[in-house]
Amino acid sequence: MAGNREFYYRRLHSLLGVIPVGVFLVQHLVVNHFATRGPEAFNRAAAFMENLPFRYFLEIFVIFLPLLFHAVYGIYIAFTAKFNTSQYGYFRNWMFMLQRITGIITLIFVVWHVYETRVQAAFGAEVNYEMMANIVNNPFMLWFYIIGILSTVFHFANGLWSFCVSWGLTVTPRSQQVFTYITMLIFVALSIVGIRAILAFA
Amino acid sequence: MSENKTVRFIITRQDRPDSAPYEEEFVIPYRPNMNVISALMEIRRNPVNAKGEKTTPVAWEMNCLEEVCGACSMVINGKPRQACAALIDKLEQPIRLEPMRTFPVIRDLVIDRSRMFDALKRVKAWIPIDGTYDLGPGPRMPERKRQWAYELSKCMTCGVCLEACPNVNSKSNFIGPAPLSQVRLFNAHPTGAMHKAERLRAIMGDGGLANCGNSQNCVQSCPKGIPLTTSIAALNRDTTIQMFRDFFGSDEV
Ligand code: HEM
Ligand code: SF4
Ligand code: FES
């Protein structure tokens, strides 16, 4: 009975990208944005998140496992595509390619980011304003973070668009067109939130 | 002067299904209103390449010569399309002809589109009307819906949409856009709708609908203007409902 699971895996992959991983991403960016109000505001917001009840449960079931599934299956999906934007330079085909490329960039970024923060925290480091400020003190790391944030936010925003097609929410060309505008606005808005936050540490 | 005008072709050829492809150039005399098929016929009549060497005639497929059978599909100047509808006057020279490599190449420009016909069988792209007794006339379709369905029924299984799709390739078993849209066509028919769930379950199998990654190249490339991506999104909605029905059960029989 190994066969005929693909439909359900794909739907699960699609769902997890938005709920909970996408929801977590938005929440994470908003909390980080407290850094624009100074180190104390950020430390208070971060401490609030750290002291949420059932922290390990939430981390494992709301973030780690869904992201792990989405990422592993995402790599498989990305590598089964054969990009052809040079022959078919249509807008959606570019988005198709960017969705897969930003997925891979996001994976590299997230693995490094989690290693530098959450894994270090498990070894006793304190995650606070100072930790991030030390990281992005290095211009290379600042750029790494800016690219990582833009890539993740694009992947999420454009992913919302394909999520709506994958579940049959946007069916007609017009609804898909309107949703393209909406998701690009989401991309711009979340990019501003994310970039403002990281620059607040620099 | 016109008798001196020529047309230049660079054709990707292949002698056997398992042999390596190679390019061969041809220069043929121009005639007014030529299309790619009539040019290929000229090469067949006088199989001499641009270097003046005698060669084997280029093999291709054709049937209707009016863009309704899909047999003559090939990649012309980088775009998959029907050779019979490709006018020489409208093509940039040298004209490059290649087989649609998404499909197994049999020889030169001839490809094997069997997978598309197998896909139509797999998704039950027909309306069962045979019984052990006369079933009588079926229900009528509203005229507006008939016109809408007619657009979907124009598919000629030409394979252009599979060739354009980044997810139809040797690394994936994606069935491709054309048979998916046919599911929508037959599910929309009043009699065909009796087997709606069966068709939906067929495309919920491996290599089915879920493999679509929304590059939407298919809808841009289809020579018949079939709204393939609308069909796919509509089927995504139908299969969402079907998935819940199959899991939780349904009050509908
Ligand atoms: C912050 C983390 C991430 C978020 C919020 C996220 C979100 C999303 C969303 C919402 C979708 C749309 C689902 C659909 O098309 O129905 C999606 C698709 C996709 N994701 Fe992610 N994702 C993340 C990380 C990753 C990673 C690490 C990879 C690994 C390579 C990845 C690979 C993909 C691929 C290939 C698709 C396209 C699926 C398709 O179009 O069929 N994603 N993602
Ligand atoms: S849907 Fe269009 S491109 Fe695809 S096989 Fe049918 S006619 Fe050809
Ligand atoms: S010969 Fe039938 S489509 Fe060209």
Side-chain angles (χ1 to χ4, degrees), chain A residues 172-192:
Chain A
T172 62
R174 183 151 174 82
S175 64
Q176 295 181 0
Q177 182 72 51
V178 169
F179 215 65
T180 296
Y181 298 136
I182 293 175
T183 51
M184 286 304 104
L185 281 178
I186 292 174
F187 168 60
V188 173
L190 284 181
S191 294
I192 293 172

Side-chain angles (χ1 to χ4, degrees), chain B residues 45-197:
Chain B
R45 205 179 59 76
N46 179 27
V48 173
N49 67 22
K51 292 185 212 144
E53 301 158 351
K54 196 152 173 57
T55 180
T56 50
V58 177
W60 79 95
E61 265 195 307
M62 62 177 167
N63 188 6
C64 70
L65 299 180
E66 54 177 353
E67 207 189 60
V68 291
C69 78
C72 67
S73 308
M74 58 183 73
V75 180
I76 302 173
N77 283 350
K79 285 260 173 356
R81 53 185 297 195
Q82 279 67 53
C84 66
L87 301 176
I88 300 296
D89 289 336
K90 294 198 176 151
L91 292 170
E92 200 179 301
Q93 288 192 34
I95 299 167
R96 287 175 183 273
L97 305 182
E98 296 160 73
M100 296 202 303
R101 300 206 155 275
T102 299
F103 300 88
V105 176
I106 297 176
R107 184 188 171 117
D108 294 340
L109 303 168
V110 180
I111 52 162
D112 178 3
R113 285 178 297 139
S114 305
R115 62 170 288 175
M116 295 196 72
F117 305 108
D118 293 340
L120 290 175
K121 287 181 215 156
R122 185 176 149 197
V123 304
K124 302 178 204 297
W126 59 79
I127 290 167
I129 49 165
D130 294 330
T132 48
Y133 56 94
D134 184 1
L135 297 173
R140 287 189 60 137
M141 231 171 161
E143 175 57 15
R144 224 163 62 98
K145 193 169 172 187
R146 187 200 63 74
Q147 282 181 13
W148 168 90
Y150 181 64
E151 294 306 317
L152 299 186
S153 76
K154 283 180 179 171
C155 175
M156 52 187 176
T157 1
C158 70
V160 162
C161 53
L162 275 78
E163 175 74 14
C165 178
N167 273 355
V168 177
N169 59 53
S170 50
K171 291 180 280 183
S172 105
N173 57 354
F174 183 30
I175 193 169
L180 295 176
S181 190
Q182 292 305 298
V183 168
R184 187 161 174 242
L185 170 67
F186 288 101
N187 281 357
H189 188 279
T191 309
M194 293 175 186
H195 297 267
K196 186 174 172 178

Side-chain angles (χ1 to χ4, degrees), chain A residues 10 13-18 21-22 25 67 70-75 77-78 96 99-100 102-104 106-107 110 152 155-156 158-160 162-164 166-167, chain B residues 210-214:
Chain A
R10 281 296 278 248
H13 177 261
S14 171
L15 181 69
L16 293 180
V18 178
V21 178
L25 171 69
L67 183 58
H70 184 90
V72 171
Y73 203 62
I75 296 171
I77 294 171
F96 171 92
Q99 183 69 11
R100 279 144 187 80
T102 55
I104 304 293
T106 303
L107 180 64
V110 167
T152 310
H155 185 87
F156 171 63
N158 190 51
L160 276 181
S162 60
F163 172 87
C164 287
S166 300
W167 290 85
Chain B
N211 278 260
C212 170
N214 301 304

Side-chain angles (χ1 to χ4, degrees), chain A residues 3-7 10-11 79-82 84 87-88 90 92-93 96 165-171 173 176, chain B residues 78-80 164 166-167 169 171 204-207 210-217 220 230 233 236-237 239-240 243:
Chain A
N4 287 331
R5 295 273 172 76
E6 202 175 48
F7 180 85
R10 281 296 278 248
R11 286 294 170 103
F79 283 96
T80 49
K82 219 168 120 190
N84 55 13
Q87 271 176 79
Y88 309 91
Y90 311 118
R92 270 289 146 213
N93 197 26
F96 171 92
V165 180
S166 300
W167 290 85
L169 302 173
T170 48
V171 170
Q176 295 181 0
Chain B
K79 285 260 173 356
N167 273 355
N169 59 53
K171 291 180 280 183
M204 287 160 79
D206 285 355
N211 278 260
C212 170
N214 301 304
S215 84
Q216 305 206 336
N217 285 352
Q220 300 271 5
T230 311
N236 277 331
R237 180 179 289 183
T239 50
T240 301
M243 174 173 72

Side-chain angles (χ1 to χ4, degrees), chain A residues 5 21 25 31-32 34 46 66 86 96 99 110 112 117 121 127 139 151 155 157 175 189 199 201:
Chain A
R5 295 273 172 76
V21 178
L25 171 69
V31 168
N32 294 346
F34 277 101
S86 55
F96 171 92
Q99 183 69 11
V110 167
W112 182 251
T117 55
V127 178
S151 156
H155 185 87
S175 64
L199 290 182
F201 294 104

